[in-house]
Amino acid sequence: MNDSFRSVRRALRARSPVVVDVPIPVRQLLLRRYFEVSIRNGRLGVISLGLLLFGLAHEVPLTARLVAGAALSVVLVLRVALAERMVRGLDSPNPPSTLAHDLLLLAASTSWSFAPFVLQGHISPSNLAGVLYGALAVIAVLSVSYHSALPATVVLITASFVPLVTFMALQRTLISGVLAVTTAICVGALLSRVLAGHRTLLRALAAEQAYAQLVRELQGDGRRLEHENAQLGSSLRDARDAASRDPLTGLYNRRHLEAFAAPLADTVRRRVEEVALCVVDIDHFKRINDAHGHAVGDEVLQAIADLLGSRLREADCLARLGGEEFVAVLRRCDIGRGQRVAEALRLIVGGVEIETDAGPVGATVSVGVAQWAADETFESALRRADRALYQAKRAGRDRVEVDTVDAMRLSVAAIERTRPGALH
């Protein structure tokens, strides 16, 4: 309780309608609620004023009631307009002063308190008692609704109830005296209730701010984690890609070649798809290294890798086995078509001179071709293509040779095509 009153004193010295010893975001929320309540109560006050003047105080001359009603309505409407302006200005760098609004709020509240003094002698005692109790009820309800604002609520309660208690005491009757004491006790209880409600509201707002800050921090952490995960995923993909690539030519390596062939084994075994293998070797590559150096040799390897890749489809796989040897896995390709592709690879390499730091360098390749049979493994088919490559080397290089088993199949197919009556 003492802390609350100290907060009230500090706010009064700072001429603020709300406590000043709270974080700025919480203070902004308190001010916003204070003004929003003022707007709502101002509109309700016009209705309550009409009930008072044209209900309980119906004995007062009509002209006096109309003048009083018009004057108080102007105060209430102006106060609502100022409160709406305050709400709009809360987010601005220089919010407007609340003094005019606070004074109008005080004037509207105390007008209820002085109503019994003004009406005494003009209306009957029973109607005067109704005005008195009505003023007590209205002030109590309105005061409690302002619990977001300290010291404004304390000032309102004090300024509103002091005239009422004074009026009761001045009646000098036992009943009015008891009523004055009882009202004073109610004022104390009301102040205690408002202060307790204000403390609860402050704790709730502080918790709300802490929760909002926690959410922002978690969202920030979440975004950072997403970014880090994306970077990690990219790094893992790069690492995985690097592990499956030849660092010099950028082609796939033997590890990726085996991984690529693994799922094809079942389709070849079930004869769903035909697959041909081409083993390509650069002719006399050692001479290029000896004549121009290994750096030029690397340039030749890179250029030939690019030339071979340019003749293959996206579904195929081109890999460097090591040294100057490459393997092309051709999907949906039988031995006849595989031989034609191999011939195209040979021609494209032999038909250009490769630009290097040592000047133009010519190169040729030999190619061995085999078709992956349904009853053999990938390694077996690769060995047969490799044997065909050595046949091409022994036969003079710069040529394409088909594995013996597949060559026999090609010969049979050619004989079938030359038979009389064969369909072409």
Side-chain angles (χ1 to χ4, degrees):
M1 186 71 72
N2 290 335
D3 291 340
S4 298
F5 279 115
R6 280 195 292 271
S7 298
V8 168
R9 288 196 298 272
R10 280 193 291 270
L12 283 172
R13 284 195 295 270
R15 296 184 180 179
S16 171
V18 297
V19 291
V20 293
D21 54 347
V22 291
I24 291 178
V26 173
R27 187 171 183 275
Q28 293 291 92
L29 286 173
L30 290 173
L31 279 170
R32 186 176 297 277
R33 293 194 181 194
Y34 169 54
F35 294 130
E36 288 172 351
V37 169
S38 179
I39 293 169
R40 185 177 67 247
N41 288 352
R43 291 167 180 164
L44 292 174
V46 175
I47 299 173
S48 301
L49 180 62
L51 293 175
L52 172 67
L53 292 177
F54 298 97
L56 296 175
H58 61 86
E59 297 173 351
V60 177
L62 179 60
T63 303
R65 284 184 285 155
L66 290 175
V67 171
L72 288 174
S73 295
V74 168
V75 171
L76 291 171
V77 170
L78 184 58
R79 192 189 84 203
V80 169
L82 285 173
E84 290 174 341
R85 182 187 171 200
M86 298 296 115
V87 171
R88 290 192 299 270
L90 281 176
D91 297 326
S92 65
N94 298 310
S97 171
T98 66
L99 181 61
H101 166 271
D102 299 337
L103 291 176
L104 288 174
L105 176 61
L106 185 61
S109 299
T110 54
S111 64
W112 290 93
S113 304
F114 285 101
F117 287 99
V118 175
L119 296 176
Q120 189 176 23
H122 298 286
I123 60 175
S124 63
S126 60
N127 282 352
L128 184 61
V131 170
L132 184 61
Y133 289 118
L136 283 171
V138 170
I139 292 172
V141 171
L142 293 183
S143 298
V144 172
S145 67
Y146 283 106
H147 71 281
S148 61
L150 289 180
T153 310
V154 174
V155 173
L156 281 177
I157 293 174
T158 305
S160 300
F161 278 99
V162 166
L164 289 176
V165 173
T166 303
F167 178 81
M168 296 172 192
L170 290 176
Q171 301 308 303
R172 296 181 181 179
T173 64
L174 179 60
I175 294 177
S176 62
V178 172
L179 185 59
V181 173
T182 306
T183 303
I185 294 173
C186 288
V187 169
L190 187 60
L191 284 172
S192 177
R193 175 70 184 85
V194 168
L195 293 173
H198 185 76
R199 287 195 299 272
T200 301
L201 177 61
L202 285 182
R203 285 195 293 269
L205 291 177
E208 183 180 313
Q209 291 293 310
Y211 176 74
Q213 179 63 28
L214 177 61
V215 169
R216 287 193 292 271
E217 291 175 359
L218 289 175
Q219 289 173 340
D221 291 341
R223 286 190 291 270
R224 283 193 294 273
L225 284 174
E226 288 177 3
H227 180 66
E228 290 172 4
N229 287 338
Q231 288 184 322
L232 179 60
S234 178
S235 299
L236 289 174
R237 285 192 297 272
D238 292 344
R240 189 166 55 245
D241 193 50
S244 64
R245 294 278 183 178
D246 172 56
L248 176 62
T249 62
L251 298 180
Y252 290 115
N253 56 22
R254 189 181 190 101
R255 175 182 177 183
H256 179 84
L257 179 68
E258 292 172 352
F260 180 83
L264 285 179
D266 186 58
T267 61
V268 171
R269 180 181 58 79
R270 293 187 291 113
R271 293 182 170 83
V272 174
E273 185 176 335
E274 294 176 312
V275 177
L277 307 179
C278 297
V279 179
V280 183
D281 188 83
I282 303 174
D283 298 325
H284 301 299
F285 183 70
K286 186 175 183 302
R287 294 180 185 176
I288 296 175
N289 278 333
D290 292 343
H292 304 289
H294 287 282
V296 172
D298 289 345
E299 290 183 74
V300 171
L301 278 171
Q302 291 169 336
I304 290 178
D306 292 339
L307 290 170
L308 296 176
S310 69
R311 299 297 297 177
L312 299 183
R313 300 163 300 175
E314 219 176 287
D316 300 328
C317 178
L318 178 64
R320 182 188 178 197
L321 285 186
E324 64 272 22
E325 194 169 78
F326 305 89
V327 173
V329 181
L330 310 177
R331 300 187 61 175
R332 297 183 295 278
C333 188
D334 60 12
I335 188 60
R337 188 174 180 184
Q339 185 182 31
R340 293 194 295 274
V341 172
E343 189 64 30
L345 296 178
R346 184 186 70 81
L347 290 174
I348 194 173
V349 173
V352 299
E353 285 195 324
I354 299 168
E355 292 295 331
T356 69
D357 290 341
V361 175
T364 62
V365 294
S366 300
V367 187
V369 187
Q371 182 172 336
W372 188 354
D375 58 350
E376 69 176 340
T377 63
F378 174 72
E379 289 75 13
S380 175
L382 188 61
R383 282 195 296 271
R384 289 196 296 110
D386 198 48
R387 283 199 300 267
L389 169 66
Y390 281 102
Q391 292 171 14
K393 293 283 189 182
R394 287 193 296 270
R397 294 183 170 83
D398 190 18
R399 60 187 292 121
V400 174
E401 288 290 338
V402 177
D403 175 64
T404 306
V405 175
D406 295 315
M408 290 176 60
R409 191 183 309 131
L410 282 175
S411 299
V412 171
I415 293 171
E416 290 293 332
R417 285 197 298 271
T418 57
R419 283 183 179 177
L423 295 175
H424 294 279

